[in-house]
Amino acid sequence: AQSVSQHNHHVILSEAASLELGCNYSYGGTVNLFWYVQYPGQHLQLLLKYFSGDPLVKGIKGFEAEFIKSKFSFNLRKPSVQWSDTAEYFCAVRLNSGYSTLTFGKGTMLLVSP
Amino acid sequence: DVKVTQSSRYLVKRTGEKVFLECVQDMDHENMFWYRQDPGLGLRLIYFSYDVKMKEKGDIPEGYSVSREKKERFSLILESASTNQTSMYLCASSTSWTNTGELFFGEGSRLTVL
């Protein structure tokens, strides 16, 4: 069965620390990859996406992610986090075929202390 | 701006009651989705619709049904609510099937079943 695995359920960082959130998926075939973010009290929103081309994609608020096909990974990174990055982050994957829907990981709650 | 509106932010219902959750999008999107979000479980797809009057089961459709009579409106129905349906319910929409990964989410409806 298709699945998406996020390595950490909770991450606590101090401001200015670097961030890397792991995401691995188990799918055969071509995939589209996404990171969504949910800030406290707000709706889920798209942070960045990968469909094809350059495997290093940049999103909003200084986030980036790298697609490594051989490792089935799509890790999210940010060089220096801010208190305002406190949120829950979800990795999501869909097969690039037919009526394929998004499968989400279980989420990583990031807490950034000032 | 894209807008997905869920009619109720908070609901409290009793076991056995019929529950309607309404969702309206104003973007003329073809696809609409209902997810439930539970701590530690991420988002799980209940049902989706790719056209008016069309519906497809997601990963956890048991105990739920949906209705899409108009393009902009997608309703989730709990025929007989149970305590294990206490959850946050998220509605989402997307433009077309080639773009189903880019979802626009509503604020969510938090349902408590007593």
Side-chain angles (χ1 to χ4, degrees):
Chain A
Q2 301 159 345
S3 67
V4 180
S5 175
Q6 293 184 235
H7 304 166
N8 306 98
H9 292 304
H10 293 89
V11 173
I12 301 173
L13 295 173
S14 299
E15 274 194 315
S18 64
L19 170 71
E20 181 160 4
L21 301 182
C23 174
N24 287 90
Y25 62 93
S26 62
Y27 280 72
T30 305
V31 294
N32 304 140
L33 299 154
F34 305 82
W35 278 96
Y36 280 81
V37 61
Q38 188 172 33
Y39 297 103
Q42 296 188 26
H43 63 275
L44 268 160
Q45 57 186 289
L46 182 67
L47 194 58
L48 50 76
K49 63 186 179 185
Y50 172 80
F51 275 41
S52 63
D54 189 345
L56 183 63
V57 293
K58 295 189 184 299
I60 60 172
K61 304 187 180 185
F63 285 91
E64 64 179 31
E66 184 176 13
F67 170 49
I68 303 179
K69 189 175 181 179
S70 61
K71 294 185 177 181
F72 298 90
S73 71
F74 190 56
N75 292 353
L76 181 71
R77 299 194 293 247
K78 186 172 184 179
S80 176
V81 295
Q82 300 173 318
W83 176 78
S84 58
D85 293 324
T86 293
E88 191 160 18
Y89 294 81
F90 294 92
C91 180
V93 181
R94 70 174 288 269
L95 280 173
N96 186 19
S97 70
Y99 289 128
S100 180
T101 57
L102 269 186
T103 297
F104 284 83
K106 294 183 178 181
T108 297
M109 185 67 221
L110 171 66
L111 176 62
V112 180
S113 58
Chain B
D1 250 3
V2 167
K3 191 76 173 175
V4 177
T5 303
Q6 294 183 229
S7 57
S8 304
R9 293 293 306 276
Y10 300 94
L11 304 95
V12 179
K13 299 292 182 180
R14 296 202 176 276
T15 302
E17 281 192 80
K18 191 169 186 176
V19 182
F20 292 88
L21 300 179
E22 304 285 338
C23 175
V24 177
Q25 50 97 359
D26 65 358
M27 300 160 286
D28 200 36
H29 282 176
E30 294 179 12
N31 308 311
M32 296 188 75
F33 306 82
W34 276 106
Y35 287 87
R36 64 177 282 176
Q37 182 180 11
D38 299 288
L41 296 179
L43 278 74
R44 293 178 291 166
L45 182 62
I46 305 171
Y47 268 96
F48 62 98
S49 168
Y50 52 88
D51 200 353
V52 176
K53 297 191 185 294
M54 304 301 290
K55 59 185 179 183
E56 295 288 339
K57 293 179 180 179
D59 300 317
I60 52 164
E62 296 78 19
Y64 304 94
S65 62
V66 291
S67 172
R68 194 170 182 199
E69 296 297 318
K70 294 184 178 181
K71 189 175 185 179
E72 68 271 17
R73 187 179 298 270
F74 192 37
S75 303
L76 180 69
I77 303 152
L78 288 67
E79 293 289 342
S80 178
S82 63
T83 54
N84 62 14
Q85 293 178 309
T86 291
S87 186
M88 172 69 86
Y89 290 89
L90 301 179
C91 176
S93 68
S94 68
T95 54
S96 66
W97 209 262
T98 56
N99 205 23
T100 53
E102 296 191 59
L103 301 182
F104 295 87
F105 283 89
E107 300 276 354
S109 297
R110 185 168 293 282
L111 171 66
T112 301
V113 182
L114 303 175

